[in-house]
Amino acid sequence: MLNGKNVVLGVCGGIAAYKSVEIVSRLKKLGAEVDVIMTESAEKFVAPLTFRSISHNPVITDMFAEPINYDIKHISLSQKADILVIAPATANIIGKIANGIADDMLTTTVMATKAKVLIVPAMNVNMYENVIVKNNIEKLKKLGYGFMEPDTGMLACGVNAKGRMPEPQSVIEAIVDTMAVKGDMKNIRVLITAGPTREAIDPVRYITNHSSGKMGYAIAKAAQKRGADVSLVSGPVSIEKPEKITVYNVISADEMFLKVNELYEPADIIIMAAAVADYKCSVVADTKIKKSSDELTLSLVKNPDIAYSIGKKKGKRVMVGFSAETNDLYKNAKSKLENKNMDMIVANDLTKEGAGFNCDTNIVSIIGNNGEILELPIMPKEKVADEILNYAVRVYYQKKESNT
Ligand code: PMT
């Protein structure tokens, strides 16, 4: 996920410094290159050798140490960084940065960098609530510095209060989120379908399903946040139109079919999260059907399959489908993946609580057309959206490379 990304991690003097070792280890597993800068007091908590062994890079502790390479370290690291993370960040370092003080390797690197900076405070609750610290944090937030909220729990001073450094996994998620904002999908055009379709029975009734559009809209927003140029073809939903996204509202499967076929050409990635009705009424009554006999039979005919039509002519585009199943999840999802010539499919298991229609979370497995299966735990649809995009972007670059 972080292949080729450079993370510079500043470690300050606090008991939470031991958690930063785990952060480095996880960043490495995700493919990042990690350089660690320790303040003088951080060395009192964890030995530089620990970070050196885990990061496989020299650890920078002293601004005036004999250089290993003859570059100016705080300049070279500030330029190399895709993100600079300070974890744990003490009241002292926050105060220094907020006031432009650059008197050691970490603060000089922060001053010199143009990379996104993510600060992860960890300190005694009274220090965290001190108005001076609060003002410094507010000042830095206004200047675009990212902050994580400390966790509440047992602090080193023995009280149960806010001030603990968040767990390594949360820090990793914040790092990934912050990097995503940087625009790894810049210049990528994404076309997304979302929501249900409505198939008219008569002027007042229709056939539909439980799709709320939340999943598709979450993907659209996440892609836009990552710099993509996003078009969204939306069935009828009650979600507000997202900013900076072109939304095309449609009602029926026929309308969605026409709109997607009109828009697909310039797209690089096409994501079909809509729950399209498979059938529509063969005849739509012109006037409201009156209640007369005890039974009413509707004659249904198949709707056009949008994904199938695009799959046949997708060329080098990456096509992502969805599959919502109540049984034989993988079997059904894989057969849709193949039949519709998709590159990957997102399988939702509707039997699980917190998955599928109209909830804020989802539980999905991403299946690649190479047979790879990535099973994800329950997470908010926004996070699922980022996981889907991570996978789709990887496939996009793989295809691009194999075409050149
Ligand atoms: O909208 P939410 O409430 O957030 O819920 C999200 C969701 C459950 C609707 C979504 O995650 C999802 O799974 N959507 C696909 C639902 C489904 O079961 O699709 P399907 O099995 O009918 O179709 C498979 C794929 O073909 C889908 O990508 C679908 O968009 C596409 N399709 C299907 C039929 C059709 N006529 N045209 C299509 O393009």
Side-chain angles (χ1 to χ4, degrees), residues 125 151-155 159-164:
V125 61
D151 279 352
T152 299
M154 190 54 75
L155 303 179
V159 291
N160 199 323
K162 190 168 183 171
R164 278 174 70 86

Side-chain angles (χ1 to χ4, degrees), residues 47-107:
L49 177 63
T50 311
F51 284 110
R52 194 174 80 200
S53 313
I54 307 277
S55 69
H56 305 139
N57 269 327
V59 171
I60 318 295
T61 51
D62 181 357
M63 229 185 4
F64 303 106
E66 193 68 22
I68 299 158
N69 304 316
Y70 278 86
D71 55 5
I72 304 170
K73 230 15 184 191
H74 68 275
I75 299 297
S76 62
L77 283 185
S78 67
Q79 285 170 349
K80 181 181 176 187
D82 290 306
I83 186 169
L84 201 157
V85 184
I86 306 176
T90 53
N92 181 48
I93 194 93
I94 293 168
K96 279 187 186 180
I97 301 170
N99 291 287
I101 296 168
D103 63 352
D104 63 6
M105 190 52 108
L106 181 54
T107 45

Side-chain angles (χ1 to χ4, degrees), residues 211-213 215 272-274 304 306-307 322 324 336 340 348 358 381:
S211 172
S212 61
M215 190 65 252
M272 302 203 162
I306 309 163
F322 269 79
K336 287 173 192 169
K340 304 193 189 196
N348 318 252
N358 201 16
K381 281 186 173 159

Side-chain angles (χ1 to χ4, degrees), residues 193-196 209-216 237 253 256 271-278 303-308 320-325 336 340 342 345-348 350 355-359 362 364 381:
T193 68
N209 57 62
H210 295 293
S211 172
S212 61
K214 285 180 185 172
M215 190 65 252
V237 297
M256 192 175 271
I271 304 177
M272 302 203 162
V276 186
D278 286 323
N303 262 325
D305 194 313
I306 309 163
Y308 182 79
V320 184
F322 269 79
S323 181
E325 305 297 336
K336 287 173 192 169
K340 304 193 189 196
M342 295 165 172
I345 194 157
V346 183
N348 318 252
L350 297 183
F357 294 112
N358 201 16
C359 48
N362 209 350
V364 304
K381 281 186 173 159

